[in-house]
Amino acid sequence: MPNKKFDSKAKRNYICSIYTRSATGDKASLEGQEMRCRTAVRQAGWTIVDAYVRCDARASGNSFSKREGLESLIAAAKMTPRPFDHIVVDEPSRLTRDLRQAIELIDVLAQYKVKVYYVDELVPKNKGLRVKLALDKRQYKGMNNPIG
């Protein structure tokens, strides 16, 4: 019988952090985002590290300034060993509303082998009208186009 740890066909149990953000600091919105992320992670069969669940309340999505929760996840992603494999976010605008910033952040995290996933990527029924930020960034060179 093959050892699952070394079986390349075995489904990997990824370790995840969660990031939520609200410009108004609305507690119900932040709790709803976290609940949707937790549900999606469970459905994917992955694990959440509660010590790396972060929230930025009253933080604009137009810049990364005053986003201590996100900054702490980026710093943790650079640690060796990494405490998580993925950052799960409810939807793209919770990470940032600027497409160029999103692509740059995803590139930085990829250098440390950390991926960003959105709830609709983990839960097939929610695929609808999402923005895939893992696009070829050359298409957006020099673009500063806010997302919705």
Side-chain angles (χ1 to χ4, degrees), residues 12-147:
R12 183 162 175 214
N13 180 20
Y14 290 103
I15 308 301
C16 303
S17 65
I18 291 175
Y19 177 72
T20 61
R21 181 194 64 77
S22 170
T24 63
D26 179 33
K27 185 176 179 181
S29 171
L30 293 166
E31 289 173 351
Q33 290 176 48
E34 183 176 336
M35 181 191 70
R36 286 185 294 278
C37 289
R38 286 183 179 278
T39 299
V41 169
R42 272 194 302 273
Q43 288 178 352
W46 298 346
T47 302
I48 299 165
V49 180
D50 286 322
Y52 290 96
V53 173
R54 296 290 188 269
C55 167
D56 282 318
R58 300 191 191 287
S60 171
N62 294 321
S63 76
F64 289 140
S65 67
K66 299 180 183 177
R67 306 262 301 267
E68 294 173 7
L70 182 59
E71 290 173 11
S72 72
L73 289 178
I74 294 167
K78 295 176 180 181
M79 293 168 52
T80 303
R82 281 186 331 272
F84 50 82
D85 303 300
H86 304 315
I87 298 174
V88 178
V89 183
D90 186 32
E91 49 107 358
S93 71
R94 300 303 88 203
L95 187 62
T96 180
R97 292 187 176 274
D98 183 289
L99 185 57
R100 185 176 359 155
Q101 282 182 340
I103 291 169
E104 289 171 2
L105 176 58
I106 289 169
D107 281 350
V108 166
L109 292 169
Q111 292 174 20
Y112 299 96
K113 298 184 180 173
V114 172
K115 293 182 181 178
V116 174
Y117 279 94
Y118 302 106
V119 166
D120 65 351
E121 292 178 296
L122 298 177
V123 182
K125 69 179 181 179
N126 291 335
K127 284 195 175 170
L129 298 172
R130 70 174 181 218
V131 176
K132 283 291 283 177
L133 295 176
L135 300 171
D136 183 355
K137 69 182 174 185
R138 290 178 301 224
Q139 294 175 357
Y140 300 98
K141 195 172 190 175
M143 181 178 169
N144 186 10
N145 186 14
I147 302 171

